Amino acid sequence: MCELLGMNSSKPAALNFSFAGFSERGGRTGEHRDGWGIAFHEPAGCRLIIDDRPSIDSPLAHALKHNPVKAKNVVAHIRKATEGEVAPQNSHPFTRVLWGTTWSFAHNGNLSTFRPAPDPHFVPAGETDSERAFCYLLAGLRRRFPVQPPSRAALFIAVQTMAAVIARHGTFNFILSNGDFLLAHCSTQLHYVVRAYPFASASLVDCDLQIDFRQHNHLDDQIVVIATLPLTTGEQWHRFEPGELKLFSGGAPLAVHPGPGSDSGSKPLRLLMSY
């Protein structure tokens, strides 16, 4: 199986500490040697870096650790191939444009029986089940909301509905972002940690590296890091429930609840902060 890494922050932030541990799993502490990639959602657009080499041996990954990129939303992936050859076009994250915005997506799991009808607007460039699932999600959103993006709550419900359909075909852990917020879905295992005041010190599980976040953050900074398995000790990681979809914005998880008097999703929904 592959592994996932994501970040959602209240301000542009660097993910280099977490990425340093995560990249070790791409060939040294883990078996995910079939490529890696990372998408940074910056104000000017989405910057995508992909490589079909193991992250532990990749000059691009090495450069990234020493020249961190700041962004509010980041989606990263290390691959252990199940479908599709080891090639750049099969490395996650995948990106596509919907409603004039670039979306990024990375998946952990296997969906060998998922063969949806092709959509002319979102055609996979590679051979992976993961990219097929991504195209299916975006095509479904476009059909539901053809003119403009819906509210976050309506989009959440739509993604939740489609994710449940896809998950019938296998394991569907994924991270999806449009640069404004980040969605994460758990089929088997996924974890997250909130880094906020008063902050803590943490040590990476996969290499000998420690950090005191109090020395690197302001009082109003808030960051969520999502990973397949916890990357650190010394801070509290929360486990997703199987089948759970979470939305993160501003460095915090948001809970979707029906609005007053709502029935069957026909009335407005509201998003509440959830810590």
Side-chain angles (χ1 to χ4, degrees):
M1 291 290 184
C2 309
E3 289 204 25
L4 302 170
L5 174 66
M7 183 192 76
N8 173 265
S9 178
S10 60
K11 303 175 185 176
L15 191 61
N16 53 314
F17 175 72
S18 296
F19 182 76
F22 182 70
S23 62
E24 293 287 304
R25 299 177 181 181
R28 193 178 77 83
T29 61
E31 58 182 355
H32 316 89
R33 298 189 58 87
D34 299 326
W36 70 279
I38 190 165
F40 299 96
H41 289 272
E42 301 171 284
C46 181
R47 184 191 308 195
L48 178 65
I49 301 171
I50 55 172
D51 194 348
D52 58 1
R53 288 171 287 188
S55 58
I56 195 65
D57 299 327
S58 169
L60 287 172
H62 179 77
L64 191 59
K65 292 180 210 176
H66 295 88
N67 299 279
V69 176
K70 289 189 175 183
K72 284 189 176 182
N73 289 277
V74 179
V75 177
H77 183 272
I78 48 176
R79 184 178 184 229
K80 185 177 186 300
T82 53
E83 287 196 30
E85 64 179 346
V86 178
Q89 68 268 24
N90 291 326
S91 295
H92 309 215
F94 305 104
T95 60
R96 291 291 191 284
V97 175
L98 174 64
W99 303 311
T101 298
T102 300
W103 294 70
S104 64
F105 171 90
H107 165 231
N108 160 33
N110 191 13
L111 302 165
S112 58
T113 63
F114 184 64
R115 302 280 176 176
D119 183 281
H121 298 95
F122 299 100
V123 179
E127 304 88 40
T128 66
D129 51 339
S130 305
E131 192 179 14
R132 288 197 300 271
F134 179 38
C135 290
Y136 175 86
L137 285 172
L138 293 193
L141 290 174
R142 186 180 182 277
R143 284 194 298 271
R144 286 168 169 81
F145 313 104
V147 178
Q148 61 185 12
S151 67
R152 286 184 181 180
L155 186 141
F156 180 95
I157 297 300
V159 172
Q160 187 177 54
T161 300
M162 289 185 285
V165 172
I166 299 171
R168 296 172 191 160
H169 296 266
T171 303
F172 195 41
N173 305 296
F174 71 80
I175 299 176
L176 172 71
S177 181
N178 66 352
D180 180 33
F181 55 84
L182 184 148
L183 289 161
H185 179 266
C186 174
S187 182
T188 53
Q189 59 180 352
L190 202 59
H191 299 76
Y192 74 94
V193 62
V194 179
R195 293 171 179 163
Y197 181 82
F199 295 103
S201 297
S203 300
L204 289 173
V205 173
D206 297 272
C207 60
D208 186 19
L209 190 62
Q210 299 81 36
I211 192 170
D212 184 348
F213 288 112
R214 292 170 294 186
Q215 304 299 317
H216 298 272
N217 292 279
H218 296 99
L219 296 180
D220 59 344
D221 288 344
Q222 187 154 302
I223 299 168
V224 170
V225 174
I226 303 101
T228 299
L229 294 170
L231 294 164
T232 62
T233 59
E235 52 185 354
Q236 184 180 8
W237 287 82
H238 306 274
R239 187 183 181 103
F240 283 65
E241 294 295 326
E244 185 176 23
L245 178 70
K246 284 187 174 293
L247 187 150
F248 300 91
S249 181
L254 305 181
V256 178
H257 296 285
S262 174
D263 59 346
S264 302
S266 60
K267 300 292 180 63
L269 301 170
R270 55 196 174 98
L271 292 167
L272 301 180
M273 301 295 289
S274 175
Y275 296 95

